[in-house]
Amino acid sequence: MRVVVSPANQLPDKLAIRWAEIQENNPGLASPFFRPEFTQAVARVRDDVLVACIEDGAAFLPFQRSSFGLGRPVGGAMSDYHGLIAPPAYSCDMAEVLRACRLQRWIFDHVPAEQAVFAPWQTVSTSSPILDISEADHAGSTSLHSNHRRKWRRLEEAHGPIQVDLDVQDPALLATCIKWKSEQYRRTGNLDLFSRPWTRALADIISTYREPHFAGMLSVLRVDGRPIAVHFGMRSLKFWHYWFPAYDPEFQRFSPGILLLLKMIKDAPTLGIEAIDFGKGENHYKLRLFNRRVPLLEGCVTINHPLWMVTQTQTKLKQLAKNSPASDYIIPPMRRLIQWARFR
């Protein structure tokens, strides 16, 4: 099997075009994370982003490689989807691909389950909740909408007229979104994904993309001209990835983030959007709005059997701690440690 590895920012145009063609013709790669533009954006802020071109463009594997030969998905903890860029049912020897990439292992936690080449390396099965707008007459329950219509009226009565813009270009507003999100991470005891300069720079770069198949999407809810909820995400041709929602805590009782999300859902078809992907997790709002799930795999491809055993042991310990009666005390520090490891 022929595998050629090159820096992502040096990928020849003809191969980038081939990558885009594969993505556009495989429904399982509909997420904007699978677009070449996302990998190339990360490569503009990091110098460890590489792409393995398999069999002259039959498939691609974007990855990050450390000096110790450890591989991560492009973007690390910023990545909500990753895997092979390949036609449906494509098959290859992933261990052989790793050897060609000079990797000891490649850790993954958001690979679509339909990518069967990763099944032998799977340790955990999870899923990402999605709202398929094309199949939903009404997203969420009647009580959800009636409750938030009341909050909308109360917000308007208390603070003035409400305005929603789904797609704006405003660096200052993006900075506000990142600031609020960082504060939320700290309040909730989670790792601040924007604590490193490269992640902020990545958001700035993605916000400048305006192509039909890949674009940054900055949405805002204002009251009397003042932003109180902002969301920064990405879109591909028909998929909108719900990525970084944030809001002004002063207006928390009005649930401004959900008000903005419901407006996004209502008006998404006018932008050509057919589905909103909420990303992995069991947040309350996701469970009230999703109507299908994308099965995902977590695991580690490795060419070293002892490393594979270590990964399996780590996973079992994580699951044991999660099921322990003391999980409320164990899981938060463990979650922060895992997030830090992914981020690093």
Side-chain angles (χ1 to χ4, degrees):
M1 180 170 55
R2 175 178 165 81
V3 180
V4 177
V5 178
S6 62
N9 55 11
Q10 296 178 21
L11 190 69
D13 289 344
K14 67 176 183 179
L15 292 180
I17 292 171
R18 171 59 182 156
W19 176 339
E21 289 174 348
I22 293 174
Q23 186 272 336
E24 292 163 20
N25 289 290
N26 184 349
L29 302 177
S31 170
F33 286 100
F34 289 118
R35 292 290 302 177
E37 293 91 342
F38 175 74
T39 293
Q40 290 169 334
V42 179
R44 290 173 62 181
V45 296
R46 296 184 61 98
D47 58 7
D48 59 352
V49 182
L50 303 166
V51 176
C53 177
I54 304 168
E55 296 292 353
D56 299 318
F60 299 86
L61 178 68
F63 63 95
Q64 291 177 195
R65 182 175 63 201
S66 76
S67 56
F68 299 103
L70 302 180
R72 298 293 308 177
V74 172
M78 300 284 280
S79 173
D80 283 349
Y81 280 101
H82 37 259
L84 274 182
I85 312 300
Y90 179 83
S91 181
C92 66
D93 184 338
M94 287 306 303
E96 186 176 344
V97 173
L98 253 63
R99 291 187 186 94
C101 295
R102 295 191 292 114
L103 292 175
Q104 292 294 315
R105 64 177 177 174
W106 186 72
I107 302 170
F108 58 90
D109 52 16
H110 287 76
V111 168
E114 66 181 40
Q115 296 199 11
V117 294
F118 292 99
W121 312 97
Q122 168 195 355
T123 55
V124 177
S125 296
T126 58
S127 64
S128 182
I130 283 182
L131 172 61
D132 195 329
I133 298 171
S134 64
E135 297 181 2
D137 295 330
H138 197 67
S141 65
T142 302
S143 62
L144 171 70
H145 285 271
S146 60
N147 180 41
H148 284 84
R149 279 196 295 270
R150 286 194 295 270
K151 290 187 176 182
W152 184 287
R153 289 195 298 269
R154 290 170 184 167
L155 175 61
E156 205 163 30
E157 290 167 359
H159 297 281
I162 300 172
Q163 177 190 2
V164 175
D165 293 307
L166 296 186
D167 187 11
V168 298
Q169 284 188 289
D170 186 339
L173 187 62
L174 178 59
T176 297
C177 178
I178 291 173
K179 173 178 176 291
W180 286 345
K181 196 66 183 176
S182 291
E183 291 171 350
Q184 178 190 340
Y185 284 137
R186 291 192 289 270
R187 284 198 309 271
T188 56
N190 286 293
L191 175 72
D192 179 6
L193 295 183
F194 292 106
S195 63
R196 299 297 295 272
W198 74 264
T199 56
R200 291 174 176 258
L202 178 62
D204 289 336
I205 289 170
I206 289 176
S207 70
T208 65
Y209 280 86
R210 312 299 298 170
E211 299 301 321
H213 288 85
F214 184 83
M217 295 282 287
L218 185 64
S219 307
V220 57
L221 183 147
R222 295 183 177 92
V223 60
D224 197 25
R226 174 183 175 180
I228 65 169
V230 187
H231 169 259
F232 178 64
M234 299 184 293
R235 68 167 293 175
S236 54
L237 185 62
K238 297 180 180 179
F239 262 58
W240 195 350
H241 193 84
Y242 194 72
W243 207 11
F244 294 112
Y247 63 89
D248 186 339
E250 181 182 336
F251 293 84
Q252 182 175 0
R253 67 189 181 95
F254 298 104
S255 302
I258 302 299
L259 294 181
L260 175 57
L261 174 56
L262 292 175
K263 185 65 172 173
M264 289 166 58
I265 292 170
K266 180 180 178 182
D267 292 348
T270 66
L271 302 174
I273 300 293
E274 295 183 357
I276 296 178
D277 193 321
F278 295 120
K280 191 171 69 173
E282 300 299 309
N283 305 66
H284 184 60
Y285 70 87
K286 298 180 183 181
L287 299 181
R288 299 187 72 180
L289 291 169
F290 87 102
N291 57 11
R292 71 178 176 91
R293 290 180 179 272
V294 174
L296 300 174
L297 304 179
E298 296 185 20
C300 176
V301 184
T302 178
I303 61 173
N304 185 311
H305 185 69
L307 278 177
W308 168 243
M309 297 300 295
V310 168
T311 301
Q312 284 189 313
T313 301
Q314 289 172 335
T315 301
K316 290 177 181 178
L317 289 172
K318 176 182 174 182
Q319 294 301 112
L320 181 64
K322 186 176 182 180
N323 296 328
S324 166
S327 62
D328 288 344
Y329 302 98
I330 297 173
I331 292 299
M334 179 177 289
R335 183 178 64 243
R336 286 192 291 272
L337 179 60
I338 292 169
Q339 290 173 335
W340 177 85
R342 287 188 66 205
F343 191 65
R344 295 294 295 172

